[in-house]
Amino acid sequence: MPFKAPIRDVQFLADKLLNAQQHYASLAGGEPLDCDLRNAILEEAARFSEEVLYPLNRNGDEQGCLWNEDGVKTPDGFADAYRQYIDGGWPGLSMPTAFGGQALPKSLDFMVSECLSQANHAWAMYPGLSAGCRGTLLAHGTESQQAIYLPKLTSGAWTGTMCLTEPQCGSDLSFLRTRAEAREDGSYSISGTKIFISAGEHDLSENIVHLVLARLPEAPAGTRGISLFIVPKFLPDRHGEPGARNAVQCGSLEHKMGIHGNATCVMNFDGAQGFLIGEPHRGLLAMFTFMNSARLGVALEGLAHGEVALQGALSYATEREAGRALSGAKVPTRPADRLVVHPDVRRMLLTIRALTEGSRALLHSLGQLVDIELGTDAEAAAEAASLLAFYTPIAKGFMTEMGIECANIGMQVYGGHGYIREWGMEQNLRDARITTMYEGTTGIQALDLLARKVLRDQGASLETVIVRIRADMEDMETDYAQRLSARLEEWQAITATLFNSVSENIDELGAASVDYLMYSGYVLLGWQWGRMASVSEVREGADAFYRAKAVTAHFYFDKILPRCSSLAEQIRAGADSLMALDDMDFDVLAGR
């Protein structure tokens, strides 16, 4: 299956929808990034993705990672690709120059990361985890910690991880048992076992910096008693180079459904030396910097799997001949017509395109908010942070669910051939499947959205978003604006209904949350498609790219946005049928 990084679509968003040049100029230090430099960076990222990473994707899946007592070997070619990646200066693209970075906008990093994830999801996770580690140390590390670790993480010589999950606790970290005990030199001894640690051990970099959640002896119970520690694989010596081996080991590798090329590790900390980040017992707050970065990164992975599905399905549907068009043979000289003539195949292709390109528009608009949040204007940064808090659970939950839907449909376009490994579509689906699980499941994102971001502030964040959408509707085609307006009114109405129902029965919160998140996602994509149509309609006669934008917008409003109606009905139905069985009834059904 061929792969081409979707550079034209990203450039369309940057230039026509997001006014990237104006955005860059508004950022401190953003003036040197003009469109020519941005496009040169994107074209090189595309070349690296297509020529270096993508050829390793299938072998990475089939070979996987190999564990032994000395460490973990990544699939053939992964380490060499990583060396090319750091030689190109990619890890430091958006890092401050003080640590050896290039200080370019984070939104540009998003565009590059999209190319990497599409070409090779498993490989892209190694540098992806490092980005979250860098961001956490930038936000919460001491000057000394930043001086020791950030130059190496910025160059890519060292990589990073986050270590949260344990065998007895996944999303509920109140059960966390890893211990931290003070040493006389001011550091700590970290002991415990962590599981599902992506990129926890590998042969790509000379050192691995683990950010580890653990409890101090005097810690209060629950999540309020968790602290965050830096635990390097090799302790830095006085020159900042890898020194003595720390007491942290990979005990085993998880055997997974997909992303075989990424090492998902059980990590054992046996009195390993660690260094406190931030204040004691405030580690979870600091780790949320990492987690929120990772959640947007996983949203990007959902988008990436949609793009891979789109390219594969389009390639197959425009070449494969099967059956005749219902309206009569399109090419009588051929024994059959191409798949693309069939309405149901077009339904699948346009569904993938509508969900993928709509998600791309939303994600890269969030990338600009990240730029503003990291900027020097305190008021603008606070506003951007508030908006990102609202958008992030939707992006993570909705885009990953859509990525799986697109990967699934992409297989279906191939018929029986989609089930065969050689075409690559079944790997795309297997790799996509993890995205709704790690960094917080869809259910957890949904509870975060509805409980913390909507109900807790009495709907103020929702109203802010709706005002932003309505402002953009002034430039939309009248029909799209009217249909989107109706959904905004329904969004407000079901929110008001939930204020009342949840106050009377808390189970209504859990019953409605995922449906509410998906409703929100469809509305946000409607917003993006209305905007894209407004800058595509006038160019409809220009070429197929703009014609496809205009037609896909029409398809989205006709065929996808109406999904909101069933979601609204499900939300209004409440929790009664969900909670009708007694807890003990499930024990009986389980055979206990």
Side-chain angles (χ1 to χ4, degrees), residues 192-195 197 200-201 210 248-251 265-269:
T193 295
K194 301 288 185 177
I195 65 170
I197 307 306
E201 176 63 32
H210 303 287
V248 52
Q249 299 283 343
C250 174
C265 303
V266 175
M267 300 300 299
N268 297 318
F269 299 85

Side-chain angles (χ1 to χ4, degrees), residues 430-451:
R430 286 188 290 106
D431 287 351
R433 192 62 190 85
I434 186 59
T435 60
T436 60
M437 300 177 190
Y438 60 8
E439 306 309 334
T441 63
T442 305
I444 287 172
Q445 304 303 320
L447 285 172
D448 179 39
L449 171 67
L450 187 54

Side-chain angles (χ1 to χ4, degrees), residues 302-507:
L303 158 63
H305 287 291
E307 178 64 30
V308 171
L310 178 61
Q311 292 193 24
L314 276 172
S315 176
Y316 192 79
T318 53
E319 293 179 3
R320 177 76 168 181
E321 295 176 334
R324 287 296 189 188
L326 297 176
S327 57
K330 297 297 182 183
V331 186
T333 58
R334 298 293 302 167
D337 290 322
R338 296 183 300 164
L339 287 178
V340 75
V341 307
H342 302 299
D344 187 58
V345 173
R346 291 191 173 209
R347 173 191 63 81
M348 292 188 281
L349 294 175
L350 285 169
T351 297
I352 301 172
R353 179 178 290 277
L355 295 173
T356 299
E357 295 183 4
S359 293
R360 177 176 293 119
L362 178 60
L363 183 81
H364 291 306
S365 69
L366 299 187
Q368 291 191 339
L369 283 178
V370 173
D371 290 340
I372 297 169
E373 182 189 28
L374 297 174
T376 57
D377 184 328
E379 184 177 348
E383 181 183 0
S386 177
L387 287 167
L388 282 167
F390 181 88
Y391 289 130
T392 296
I394 302 174
K396 197 283 179 184
F398 183 84
M399 289 188 196
T400 56
E401 293 287 351
M402 293 302 96
I404 292 172
E405 178 178 348
C406 291
N408 193 41
I409 296 173
M411 278 186 63
Q412 189 75 8
V413 170
Y414 282 70
H417 286 283
Y419 204 62
I420 304 302
R421 298 195 71 181
E422 284 77 2
W423 293 94
M425 300 304 279
E426 62 87 34
Q427 181 191 341
N428 189 45
L429 180 57
R430 286 188 290 106
D431 287 351
R433 192 62 190 85
I434 186 59
T435 60
T436 60
M437 300 177 190
Y438 60 8
E439 306 309 334
T441 63
T442 305
I444 287 172
Q445 304 303 320
L447 285 172
D448 179 39
L449 171 67
L450 187 54
R452 295 191 181 98
K453 310 301 166 55
V454 176
L455 300 183
R456 182 177 292 178
D457 73 353
Q458 300 298 304
S461 296
L462 174 62
E463 291 305 314
T464 299
V465 169
I466 287 176
V467 168
R468 287 167 59 88
I469 296 173
R470 288 198 179 279
D472 285 337
M473 285 165 54
E474 296 177 5
D475 297 324
M476 289 182 195
E477 180 184 319
T478 301
D479 179 55
Y480 294 163
Q482 289 176 345
R483 287 199 259 181
L484 188 55
S485 180
R487 293 303 175 187
L488 294 179
E489 292 172 5
E490 186 174 51
W491 200 6
Q492 291 170 309
I494 60 177
T495 303
T497 298
L498 286 170
F499 275 118
N500 296 326
S501 61
V502 170
S503 65
E504 296 173 2
N505 178 5
I506 194 61
D507 282 334

